[in-house]
Amino acid sequence: MSASMHLTTPTGTAIGQEALNALSSALFCTSLQPADMPEPDCVRREVLHMLGTDLTGQCKAQVAQATTAHPSHFASRMAWCRQMILLVFFRAACHVPAQFTQAHSDHQNDEIDSR
């Protein structure tokens, strides 16, 4: 992770791992799901909306609660969130599980075929 990654929000600035954590937590708190196969623009819009409207820290509380209340769901969802954030915001070289890339590819092909 490069230290050049930084994120400025209404509540402060995050650098590197902190930026990844903040963006991943914001995605975690949206209604987007891996099965939705969201487009990058949709992910960006939802994450930035969450960061801009969650000034009371409800998202942070939601993530903390999920950590203890549903640890296996938390782990899998947060892993997806982190991969999506790296892919969408930082275009970092990251491993995206085949089920996500294949499903996304199939979804795009279905859209093309339906035109």
Side-chain angles (χ1 to χ4, degrees), residues 80-94:
W80 175 76
C81 291
R82 292 174 68 82
Q83 290 168 341
M84 288 300 294
I85 294 302
L86 286 169
L87 197 64
V88 169
F89 283 90
F90 302 111
R91 300 262 189 243
C94 63

